[in-house]
Structure formats: structure tokens, C-alpha cells
Amino acid sequence: MNKTFNNKAWWMVFPVFLVVAFNALVPLMTVVNYSVQETFGNNEFFWSGTIWFQQLLENDQIRDSLGRQIAFTAVALFIQVPLGLAIALCMPRKGPWVSVCLVLMALPLLVPWNVVGSMWNIMALPDIGLLGKTINAMGIHYNYTRDPVAAWFTVVLMDVWHWTSLVVLLCYAGLVSIPDAYYQAAKIDGARPWAVFRYIQLPKLKHVLTIAILLRFMDSFMIYTEVIVLTGGGPGSATKFLSIDLVQKALGGFDLGPAAAFSIVYFLIILLTSWLFYTLMMRNEAN
Amino acid sequence: MAKITIDNLRHSYLPEPKRDEDFALKRVHLDWADGGAYALLGPSGCGKTTLLNLISGLLHPTEGRILFDGRDVSNETPEHRNIAQVFQFPVIYDTMTVYDNLAFPLRNRKVDEAEIKKRVTAIAEMLELTATLSKRASGLTADGKQKISLGRGLVRSDVNVIMFDEPLTVIDPHLKWQLRSKLKELQHRIRRTMIYVTHDQTEALTFADQVVVMNNGEVVQTGTPIELFEKPKHIFVGHFIGSPGMNVMPCQVRGGKAFVEGHAVAADNAASSKGSGRLELGIRPEFVTFADKGLPVDVVKVSDIGRYRVVDTRLGENSVKLIVPEGGAIPEGKAHLAFDKAHTQIYSDGWLAGEAR
């Protein structure tokens, strides 16, 4: 039998294509456009080839920002994922406390980024903030506006406070969906709590954890607002992460070309890492 | 292996049960011999899974005791009771190989590896899993996974009882039959006490030596498949077992004789029924035949089931079904029926008249 070809269906896809074009392709292509051109104002552009990309790779300042960014994301993931999983395991599965716990957990996620930054900025002030004053009262010298270690500590703590809940909620959803029969079978098989975690809960949470790690990686790698409000990237450039560096370049210096090249590389790093991680985690599913 | 005694067991899912309806399981008393094959049969929500979970120790009874070989285990954990259970949906440890899955209960109990290897190999052989031993368990089909669940129970040589909670629910129809025969064969070979919970009469009747029929949290009848078929102790059993179910019609008993719609019918236990309460007469379609004279009926419908036909007739207000083998003549319109006396029973308020409950 001959297959009927009917290409009219493509018109159905057209609206979606239009939306995608305007929210992704067009803006992205503008950036690509800027990244290979030079401008001196007056809306005049000149072809500049790959010069911005070359400069970017040779720039020590950006390299340092990247290093700080990777360190921050690593620390955030190493704390938030195990902590979130642990909290989810401790949460009740039944009863009136379930909703209480869920609401408490969801609260930090509902606070806007800049509010989070301001909250922690005030709370961590060494002279009047609750946190800052308490730490200093304990005899530990703490001033996040002067001391890089204290600044890092505050930024990481803030991010943990703001985002661990996301991991908790995802893991909790995963845990609740494990049928009771698994726990019952494990009980009958004489499995200890550790074995239950290792052979039932962890494997069943694999997908959820993969998503949680991906989301946390992307978000922490792009962190901007909270840090700019809290430390402004300082002291010095101790907490100057990639996005802060980028904004300073693009808006501060109005270097459209270099900033565009920077954006593209930034985007590619996130895209490639996410893709690589996801592919590696899902590799075993296929066979 | 153990003899199981269920002594005045009651269970409610409510914290403070008061009325009879609060109980999911209303006072059950059973004695099960060591090495027997038993089935708990009943419709959904009749309390059979509750009873099973009480025996395995996943639930703690509100009242009563459970004894294994005379030892009270009511307060022991499932692990201490030393039982095995196969669930409705196959439970396997996804990340492990089939071998590791089977070895898991033994490793938890610190059995040494040489012994584990010996037992796992033997059980895998028995369940025809040898070829897949080194494969990941998650890659197997539903019936393979269910075999692993069963295997995890079998590897422990000292289990008191193996329990099955509707284990064939997710198995393809053509494999159901295979796995059921395999279970029966295993039961004969290893002679462990097995309890099989199901709402499917075919599964229960083919697997078990003794079937316990439950309804509304109560045991209605315990007996061999033949007993359940030939002498249902309650109308419910008559309806629930057999296809089509037992014919039941209101009747009167006068002077040791039963009357349906004014026609006298000879019944096996007519003499012993005292004529009190709601009286009904029950007979299975298998024991009803067309006759030259007898009960006058109208033939309403004939359904061809393949090797036999089910004929639906009306006796006054009542429907009477009968089974006619292939090739048997079926009259049209008016006809007469004969009931086999030995299999015609009178029920008083639902229960078989003249029998101790």
C-alpha cells in the first residue's frame, strides 16, 4: 500500500515553531551575531572573527571567576544533595505532620532571590545581625564584608538554606512512590536499614536524584542575584562568580562583543556538562 | 516448616474498634497442618490479605494469637517468624543480578558464601533460572521476576511457611498456567506449608488441598475443592465457586419435604431442616437435567460455552440454570427438569440446614 503524504500537518507545528523562535533562537542568534563583531556605537558593526573568543580564553580574570564558580557549585552540590536526601528520609510518610513538613520545606523556595540576599545580608552583619552577632559572641572572628572565608561561608550557607528544600521535595516525592511491598519484602528478607537504603531506596531514587543534581548544578552555576545583594562579589573578588563577571563586562563596560562571546561559552559549559551528566546517568537504562 | 494455628484472631485497622463492622477480620479460628497447600479465597475486601499479613507479621492483631508449632509468634517480627512472602507485584532488587537477589536473604543472615552458592544454584535449577543467574534482575519479564521473589523464599531451608498474595496478577495469561503448575509441582517436591491468597477460584482450586473461603471478614467454609463444589456450606460459596454459580430459590419445608413454587422437590437434607428462618433450596447447574416429567419450566436462553451449553430456564419467578453437554438435546419453550437429590440442599438463613457452623 502506498503511504499518503500530507504535509499540511506542518502548519500545525508552525505556532510552536514561532514561539520557540522568538524565545530562544532569535535572542540566541543575536548574541552569536554580537560575538563575532566589533562596534564603536552608532549602530555600526564590523566583522571581527574569533578575536573575542581568543581574548576570553587568555583572560586570567575570567579564568579565576570560572575556578570560583566550579568550586562554589561543587560545594553547594556536595552539601545540598546528601543533606536533602537525609532530610527527605527523616520526614514522616503518613499523618498530620506530612503537610506541616512539606510547607516548612517549601517556604524557602517561595522567597524571591533578592529578598534572600537582603535577608542574609542583614542577618549576617557582624554588629547587628542575628547570625553575625552570635558567631562573634562565641569568640569566632566573623565579618563577611572583610574576610573572604567568612564571605564564602555565608554565601554557601545562604544557598543551602534557599535550595536544599528543592532536593528534599524531589527526594520525598520519589520515596513516597516506592510501593510498601518493597519494604515488606526487605523486612521478610531480613535486610538491615542500611541495606534497605542501599538496595531499595537509592536505586528507586536514581531518576529523581539525577534531576535534582541537574537542576541544582544549573541553578548554582548561574547564581547571581543572591550573591550580588549579599556580598556584591567581594570582598575584593572573593565571591565574584561567572555571572557577576559577565554582567560587569556587558553592562559595566558595554563591551558587547566580548560579553556575547562570554555568554556563549558560559551557555555551552552548562549545556555540555548537563548533557554529559545526564547521558552517563542514563547509560545503563538502555540495556 | 510448621503447623500453623490461628487462635481467635481479630483485626481492625481502627485504633479503637467497637462495633463488629469496625473489624476487617472477625474472629477467625484455623488449624493448618505442616506441609499443606492452602488457599484463601474470597472477593476483594473480604479480609484475606489482612489475614495473610497477620500471619506474616506485617500487621499486629487486635486480638487473638498466631502459633507456629504451638509457639506463640503473635509479637514477633516477620524476620523472626521466618516466613517468606511473594507479593502481588514482583519485588526484586533492581541493581542486583538474579544470583545476588536470590542470595540476599542468606547474606543478611550471615550464611557463608560456599553454602549460599550451593543453595542458590539448587533453587535456580528448580525454578529454571539458571541461564539468567548472572543477568541484572531488572531486565527480566514479569514472570521471571515473580520467580525470583519466590526463589528468595525458597533459598532459606528453614522457612516456616511461604505465602503468596495474588502472585499471578501481573503475569500474562499463557504464562499464568505454566507458573501455577510450577508452583503446584514445587509444593509436592519440597513439602513446605504454603498459603495462597487469591480471588480467582481456578487458581485456588488447582493449587490447594484445602481452600478457605472468606467473605466480609469471616471464614465461610474450609474444605477440599470437591467439598466446596458438592456441598457448599453457605449460599455465598455456592455462588462464588463454580461457573455458573449455584441455583438458589426460595422454598418451603413441610413434613420432611421441600416445595418450590408449590412443586415437591426431594432434597438431601430436607428432613434435618427445621423450617425456621428464611429457607432456600440450592442446586448446582451440573446436577440439573431435562426430564420427561418433573418441574415445569420455560426455556429462556441458551449460551454456548464451547464444550457445553448453559441453558437458562424459568421456574415461576426463579431462574434455574443447567448445563447440557455437547450434543445433548435442548427442548424449546416448555420443558421439565429433574434435580439430583444427593446434590440438592436446603439453606436456612444462608447456611446449610442441619449442619453445625
Side-chain angles (χ1 to χ4, degrees), chain A residues 184 188-189 192 199 204, chain B residues 87 93-94 108-109 152:
Chain A
Q184 295 174 341
I188 288 164
D189 286 338
R192 309 271 144 240
Y199 296 114
K204 294 275 169 208
Chain B
F87 295 89
Y93 303 103
D94 294 325
N108 285 330
R109 286 169 176 78
R152 283 206 313 271

Side-chain angles (χ1 to χ4, degrees), chain B residues 37-39 41 86 126-128 143-144 146-147 150 164 166-169 171-189 194 196-208:
Chain B
Y38 297 94
L41 178 65
V86 177
M126 213 187 272
L127 293 171
E128 293 156 12
D143 61 310
Q146 212 48 315
K147 279 190 195 169
L150 171 61
F164 301 87
E166 311 203 8
L168 302 181
T169 310
I171 311 293
D172 285 346
H174 68 286
L175 293 171
K176 254 184 197 174
W177 187 83
Q178 259 183 34
L179 205 53
R180 208 166 60 207
S181 329
K182 189 89 209 164
L183 276 180
K184 185 78 194 152
E185 178 202 319
L186 272 173
Q187 213 281 329
H188 274 287
R189 235 165 98 183
M194 290 190 184
Y196 192 107
V197 163
T198 179
H199 58 242
D200 183 316
Q201 50 166 312
T202 325
E203 281 178 29
L205 299 178
T206 48
F207 174 80

Side-chain angles (χ1 to χ4, degrees), chain A residues 47 53 66 73 77 89-90 120 204 227 243 261 267-268 284:
Chain A
W47 175 254
F53 289 94
L66 179 64
T73 297
L77 283 177
L89 284 169
C90 295
W120 282 83
K204 294 275 169 208
V227 183
S243 58
F267 170 62
L268 286 180
N284 293 326

Side-chain angles (χ1 to χ4, degrees), chain A residues 179-192 195-196 198-200 202-204 206 284-285 287, chain B residues 53 56-58 78-79 83-85 87 89-96 104-105 108-110 136 152 156:
Chain A
D180 275 347
Y182 279 86
Y183 295 111
Q184 295 174 341
K187 234 190 238 179
I188 288 164
D189 286 338
R192 309 271 144 240
V196 173
R198 170 69 186 79
Y199 296 114
I200 295 175
L202 207 54
K204 294 275 169 208
K206 188 183 157 190
N284 293 326
E285 297 302 287
N287 44 32
Chain B
N53 287 342
S56 64
L58 295 170
E79 198 196 337
I83 46 106
Q85 189 163 349
F87 295 89
F89 297 96
V91 174
I92 52 148
Y93 303 103
D94 294 325
T95 50
M96 297 187 201
F104 189 62
N108 285 330
R109 286 169 176 78
K110 308 262 184 295
R136 276 254 231 139
R152 283 206 313 271
R156 284 149 53 199

Side-chain angles (χ1 to χ4, degrees), chain A residues 38 60 75 97 103 118 141 144 162 180 187 200 206 268 279:
Chain A
E38 167 83 286
D60 287 340
V75 171
W97 289 103
V103 169
S118 320
H141 179 71
Y144 73 94
H162 196 183
D180 275 347
K187 234 190 238 179
I200 295 175
K206 188 183 157 190
L268 286 180
T279 315

